[in-house]
Amino acid sequence: MWESKNIETNTIHGGKKSQGEFGTLSTPIYQTSTFVFDNVQQGAQRFAGEDGGHMYSRLGNPTVEELEARMALLEGTEAAAAFGSGMGAVSSAVLALLKAGDHLVTSHRLYGCTFALFNHQLPALGIEVSFVDLADEQALRAAIRPNTKVIYGETPINPCMTVIDLDTVAAIARQHDLTTVIDNTFMSPILQRPASHGIDLVLHSATKYLNGHGDVVAGILCGPGELIDRIKMTTRKDMGAVMSPHDAWLVIRGLKTLHLRMQRHGENGQLVAEYLQDHDAVEKVYYPGLPNHPGHALLGRQMRGAGGVMAFELKGSFEQAVAFINKLQMCKRAVSLGDAETLIQHPASMTHSTYEPEELAEAGISRTLIRLAVGLENAQDIVADLGQALSVAR
Ligand SMILES: Cc1ncc(COP(=O)(O)O)c(C=O)c1O
């Protein structure tokens, strides 16, 4: 397998197996549920793990494995596992790492369904969970108990873009022999590589930037070979959140332009954030590319760019925020991010509606907070659409 020292080249060529039997440039889609054995002995050897051959696509599929090899290379880990959704990756990871009586330390700010999983499903299984500010080193240290096994976070955090210092989290985890999991969805390996800061498992909703075209729901987990193999052969196999070969092919296609798309998302993001910050109808913009954002200090050391997602609050009422979103013409009212189209949504009633009102307040998500995932359009068109809609908020 060929590999470059440059990540831009690796998104195109890295991890690619030799061409298929017809010399195809594009990876073949092995759209099969099962694989034929020459004889009973061969089938038995494969199930015993003595022969690297395939058995059944829930256990492994060549197209999915090519995506896994590419993602491991891009994130700088030994291995990767693909899932049918980002939440499939989150649940398979934490349920492989935690059992009843164990304790998870996680962030008080998380994507809504991750929060729901940790706040409702894990405690129902007897797993203890503490929600703390992972950007606060003392709070993180204080949360660790004798039965703590895992630290789980996102950075930047959905939706206010709070940035967690990965070097600090990894150092604390090492002192206590804990496994770290970081959701890298908002950055992609182009802008941030958590494993290079000592993080064990790097997670993605591949639905977002990795695929980039708004036509797939998928997840990826990258990490040490032994742990990834264990997850593949336990929680992924037994709970079944596998990725289909066709979806894997779409994500492989998306990866080829990831570096160009991230560059454009970042340029557009910076321009739009500066426009919003200077607008007299806007109260506050949360974007790490702005010098007044607390996460700005980690640009360069941890993040190669600020990406395309930001949140902002208007000066007006909740009704004005709703009127503003409804008045947009080009920007699409939709959850998700990382697509070519600029997407706008209202976290309190959409992505973070799994939070109770007091939990929203604790997570800094007000009723007037709006999340914007800047797309790949000409930035002037995004600004013009925002500008005409902001007239209702003045
Ligand atoms: C940061 C983050 N992690 C995980 C997920 C879940 O991913 P999926 O929707 O692919 O299950 C999302 C979805 O929006 C997300 O924003």
Side-chain angles (χ1 to χ4, degrees):
M1 247 181 272
W2 193 81
E3 176 178 342
S4 163
K5 63 179 182 349
N6 299 310
I7 195 165
E8 296 82 358
T9 309
N10 282 335
T11 63
I12 299 166
H13 296 288
K16 191 163 167 35
K17 297 211 175 89
S18 56
Q19 268 124 13
E21 69 178 314
F22 299 108
T24 55
L25 176 66
S26 167
T27 301
I29 306 174
Y30 290 99
Q31 192 73 36
T32 185
S33 54
T34 197
F35 298 83
V36 178
F37 311 130
D38 292 341
N39 48 46
V40 172
Q41 290 84 341
Q42 188 188 47
Q45 277 172 348
R46 290 191 183 174
F47 274 90
E50 292 162 4
D51 163 338
H54 293 90
M55 295 160 276
Y56 185 67
S57 280
R58 181 157 41 76
L59 312 182
N61 172 283
T63 313
V64 177
E65 284 165 2
E66 177 158 330
L67 171 63
E68 293 170 342
R70 283 173 174 242
M71 279 307 302
L73 182 63
L74 295 179
E75 284 291 3
T77 59
E78 285 173 4
F83 295 85
S85 68
M87 288 314 301
V90 179
S91 54
S92 296
V94 296
L95 290 173
L97 295 169
L98 295 161
K99 60 182 187 322
D102 288 343
H103 176 234
L104 166 72
V105 176
T106 189
S107 169
H108 64 328
R109 298 176 181 193
L110 286 166
Y111 165 62
C113 293
T114 307
F115 177 73
L117 174 72
F118 293 175
N119 199 31
H120 301 300
Q121 319 307 337
L122 295 192
L125 297 173
I127 297 165
E128 298 166 24
V129 184
S130 295
F131 296 91
V132 297
D133 180 359
L134 292 184
D136 177 344
E137 185 179 341
Q138 294 318 315
L140 171 56
R141 285 188 188 281
I144 293 170
R145 304 176 188 165
N147 59 339
T148 306
K149 293 284 161 34
V150 176
I151 303 176
Y152 182 105
E154 298 169 10
T155 183
I157 304 175
N158 195 348
C160 289
M161 306 300 285
T162 311
V163 176
I164 296 169
D165 186 330
L166 295 177
D167 290 326
T168 304
V169 171
I172 295 173
R174 262 194 308 276
Q175 282 164 13
H176 297 271
D177 201 17
L178 310 178
T179 304
T180 44
V181 188
I182 285 292
D183 184 332
N184 198 28
T185 299
F186 275 37
M187 292 278 95
S188 90
I190 302 295
L191 300 184
Q192 179 171 271
R193 305 210 316 160
S196 69
H197 295 271
I199 297 298
D200 300 305
L201 286 173
V202 182
L203 190 146
H204 286 275
S205 167
T207 314
K208 314 293 177 349
Y209 289 112
L210 298 183
N211 178 57
H213 293 75
D215 46 18
V216 161
V217 174
I220 298 272
L221 200 56
C222 305
E226 210 174 302
L227 181 52
I228 291 290
D229 277 350
R230 178 153 73 80
I231 291 169
K232 282 182 179 171
M233 283 305 156
T234 56
T235 45
R236 188 178 76 168
K237 169 174 81 66
D238 297 338
M239 299 195 304
V242 285
M243 186 187 282
S244 79
H246 186 246
D247 285 353
W249 183 86
L250 285 167
V251 180
I252 291 170
R253 184 201 55 174
L255 285 182
K256 294 183 190 181
T257 55
L258 181 64
H259 58 292
L260 291 173
R261 291 186 286 106
M262 291 316 294
Q263 186 183 338
R264 180 64 171 262
H265 280 297
E267 288 163 7
N268 283 359
Q270 189 68 34
L271 213 134
V272 169
E274 286 170 8
Y275 167 79
L276 288 171
Q277 179 169 252
D278 291 344
H279 199 287
D280 58 8
V282 176
E283 177 70 32
K284 186 158 186 189
V285 182
Y286 303 86
Y287 181 67
L290 296 176
N292 62 3
H293 189 280
H296 189 74
L298 282 166
L299 272 182
R301 173 152 77 79
Q302 179 172 304
M303 302 146 75
R304 283 174 67 193
V309 183
M310 68 196 68
F312 59 98
E313 272 165 293
L314 300 184
K315 281 188 180 143
S317 62
F318 168 68
E319 288 70 26
Q320 278 172 305
V322 170
F324 157 73
I325 298 173
N326 285 343
K327 202 169 169 8
L328 288 162
Q329 291 170 354
M330 184 193 77
C331 302
K332 302 290 179 229
R333 286 167 287 278
V335 295
S336 205
L337 56 109
D339 291 328
E341 297 85 354
T342 294
L343 304 181
I344 194 156
Q345 64 109 355
H346 180 243
S349 61
M350 297 177 189
T351 47
H352 291 69
S353 57
T354 52
Y355 285 62
E356 296 298 329
E358 60 280 6
E359 291 166 345
L360 281 174
E362 166 71 10
I365 302 170
S366 74
R367 290 221 314 147
T368 52
L369 188 80
I370 295 164
R371 190 186 78 186
L372 184 68
V374 170
L376 303 175
E377 304 94 339
N378 184 308
Q380 295 309 328
D381 288 325
I382 305 171
V383 162
D385 196 22
L386 294 171
Q388 65 79 23
L390 280 169
S391 61
V392 300
R394 275 211 181 87

